[in-house]
């Protein structure tokens, strides 16, 4: 019996990473991972609560979810937790006016935020917008601030697209941290607050929810830090060496989301 | 009396950083810093040995020196120590075939180096060539190697051009280090070997040579690690907070190279 499903009857909800678990991103919107569309449907039919927890920051949540719906997924905006809405909350609370180093597709998330005379920099997965020019602009703004504040939408190292591994926001966050000799504040996985907001939305305790992701550190490690059990799928950015990770051990390893759901539902019935 | 000139008569040579000490770089080749052309001439007329030690990697040494000569400096290729020739030596010794993430202008330095089927990545100050595409290419090559080797031409955080501060190679080195979970090998300042090769070329001991630079950590700290005295100029990337640096204290601070030379020559006579 899979340890991560124990004790039987305790699991009431599932938290799913999106990229590398539901689908592989890439040019033209990406492709669903075999069995994942069906797996999400089966989870919902089994009356489990399902939320999605992503560090995706290349598009607004609305546009991103539309893409997933077009790929066949049963998913709504309300079910998705992503860094941009979370950071807007932080900016408002602290009176911060950001300079944005983000993907063009994400800009509309910040439409309601005052961006004049910036007193912080927000960096997201800007991808092709990570030009030398844009990096220097963000750098110069940070260096001009008496107390430079850098907020990063996640700190992922890389992700997998259909045409190969791509650098994620964390790499560029590190570049700015080093150049300015500062430490970024991270919003998104693996920040505890980020997982807790999804749990709170479900009204469940950490030990009632299973996290399923492809990133051993940010999905699995982050969820475990909050008291959840966490399973790594062997899709997306998974690499065999993850199973010998020096600091994080998943509660289970499965070939893909479909297999995880089959095992989980077997234990519920 | 300036402590860094003591003991009188001991100083036989001077090691000069170039960018931010001799000139400010920028579009159109940059401009000499006031008094620097004359200062280099006075050092040479005083029969001091003069060498130049730069982490500049946007152009071949030949082209770079030509530019400085055009600005009026008395400087020859033989007097200049820069990372590209040093790294070529390392590549040959270790049988490494580099994938180059460097400025187009630097490529000819590697003409004699086998670049087929790369087994390491060399990163320099690629500036506008630090595109997302080029960064991903380097990243993917590193991730495909069983033992990824990243060699960085310096690890500077930033430098000053006529139109503002620009990110240096160190920031992008950090991005790749983080993404691949590796540590780069640095060739160039502040690596001890790099300073020692200049001293050896002069035939002088570290305590016979004064380093003059604008970077508190890489010029001043690096030279001091080798046993030299080191002076920081208040030009180039100098910032007032450098004088309260938590770990490095220069042996002297001067307004510019011209002032440093005046003080030094006053003590020699």
């Amino acid at each position: 019996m899979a340890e991560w499903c124990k004790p039987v009857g305790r699991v009431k909800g599932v938290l799913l990473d999106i990229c590398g678990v539901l689908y592989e991103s890439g040019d033209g919107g990406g492709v669903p991972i075999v069995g994942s569309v069906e797996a999400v449907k089966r989870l919902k039919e089994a009356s489990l609560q399902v939320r999605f927890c992503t560090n995706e920051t290349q598009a607004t949540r609305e546009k991103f979810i539309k893409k997933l719906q077009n790929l066949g997924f049963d998913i709504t905006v309300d079910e998705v937790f992503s860094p941009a809405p979370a950071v807007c909350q932080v900016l408002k609370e602290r009176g911060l006016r950001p300079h944005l180093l983000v993907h063009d597709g994400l800009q509309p998330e910040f439409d309601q935020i005052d961006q004049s005379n910036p007193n912080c920099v927000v960096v997201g997965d800007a991808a092709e917008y990570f030009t030398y020019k844009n990096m220097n602009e963000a750098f110069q703004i940070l260096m001009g601030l008496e107390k430079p504040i850098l907020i990063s939408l996640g700190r992922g190292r890389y992700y997998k697209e259909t045409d190969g591994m791509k650098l994620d926001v964390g790499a560029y966050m590190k570049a700015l941290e080093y150049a300015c000799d500062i430490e970024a504040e991270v919003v998104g996985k693996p920040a505890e607050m980020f997982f807790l907001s999804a749990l709170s939305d479900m009204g469940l305790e950490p030990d009632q929810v299973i996290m399923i992701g492809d990133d051993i550190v940010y999905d699995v490690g982050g969820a475990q830090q909050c008291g959840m059990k966490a399973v790594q799928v062997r899709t997306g950015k998974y690499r065999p060496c993850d199973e010998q990770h020096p600091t994080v051990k998943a509660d289970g390893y499965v070939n893909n989301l479909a297999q995880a759901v089959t095992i989980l539902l077997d234990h519920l019935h």
Side-chain angles (χ1 to χ4, degrees), chain A:
Chain A
M1 175 176 179
E3 288 298 318
W4 55 272
C5 301
K6 283 185 185 172
V8 176
R10 180 76 187 160
V11 178
K12 303 286 186 202
V14 179
L15 198 52
L16 301 180
D17 178 31
I18 295 180
C19 182
V21 175
L22 299 193
Y23 83 118
E24 305 260 11
S25 69
D27 285 343
V31 290
I33 290 168
V34 175
S36 287
V37 168
E38 186 65 21
V40 171
K41 199 186 294 175
R42 288 163 65 207
L43 284 171
K44 290 190 170 182
E45 286 168 358
S47 300
L48 284 167
Q49 292 216 51
V50 181
R51 295 293 184 281
F52 304 88
C53 185
T54 177
N55 274 7
E56 158 68 40
T57 59
Q58 284 199 9
T60 60
R61 213 159 36 148
E62 284 69 18
K63 211 163 170 189
F64 180 53
I65 299 316
K66 191 85 205 143
K67 181 175 80 172
L68 293 167
Q69 288 169 343
N70 288 341
L71 292 177
F73 289 101
D74 176 359
I75 185 171
T76 64
V77 169
D78 290 348
E79 295 167 335
V80 175
F81 290 79
S82 71
V87 84
C88 285
Q89 188 65 26
V90 170
L91 295 170
K92 281 180 199 158
E93 281 167 14
R94 291 167 54 185
L96 292 173
R97 301 178 305 276
H99 168 81
L100 299 175
L101 176 55
V102 302
H103 199 281
D104 253 20
L106 194 72
Q107 299 271 358
E109 292 270 18
F110 297 89
D111 276 352
Q112 304 307 313
I113 302 286
D114 180 7
Q115 295 168 43
S116 62
N117 188 20
N119 56 6
C120 74
V121 167
V122 170
V123 59
D125 171 21
E128 63 268 28
Y129 298 92
F130 279 131
T131 61
Y132 189 60
K133 184 171 170 293
N134 288 346
M135 283 290 283
N136 275 326
E137 200 180 344
F139 166 65
Q140 288 167 6
I141 286 169
L142 285 169
M143 290 297 269
L145 296 174
E146 202 186 335
K147 241 181 117 83
I149 297 175
L150 174 62
I151 300 179
S152 187
L153 303 179
R155 63 171 199 206
R157 291 159 56 202
Y158 55 86
Y159 49 85
K160 197 178 165 187
E161 296 212 319
T162 45
D163 61 341
M165 301 277 207
K166 300 290 171 70
L167 289 168
D168 199 357
V169 59
Y172 288 88
M173 172 194 88
K174 282 287 165 186
L176 291 172
E177 282 189 341
Y178 177 73
C180 302
D181 198 15
I182 57 174
E183 203 168 316
E185 305 174 26
V186 177
V187 174
K189 295 180 285 185
E192 190 168 346
M193 271 238 331
F194 194 63
F195 288 106
L196 294 182
S197 62
L199 292 178
S200 151
D201 189 60
M202 291 193 254
L204 295 176
E205 296 300 316
D207 65 350
Q208 296 179 297
V209 179
I210 306 283
M211 171 80 206
I212 301 175
D214 66 332
D215 191 309
I216 185 69
V217 173
Y218 302 120
D219 294 329
V220 173
Q224 287 176 335
Q225 289 278 338
C226 298
M228 284 181 261
K229 286 194 173 148
V231 172
Q232 189 181 19
V233 289
R234 297 194 185 98
T235 54
K237 75 174 71 164
Y238 166 86
R239 302 205 305 166
C241 61
D242 291 345
E243 299 191 28
Q244 274 83 45
H245 193 277
T247 56
V248 184
K249 188 167 174 45
D251 295 288
Y253 300 91
V254 294
N255 290 335
N256 50 39
L257 178 62
Q259 189 185 31
V261 170
T262 297
I263 293 170
L264 181 60
L265 297 186
D266 273 358
H267 283 84
L268 288 182
H269 301 305

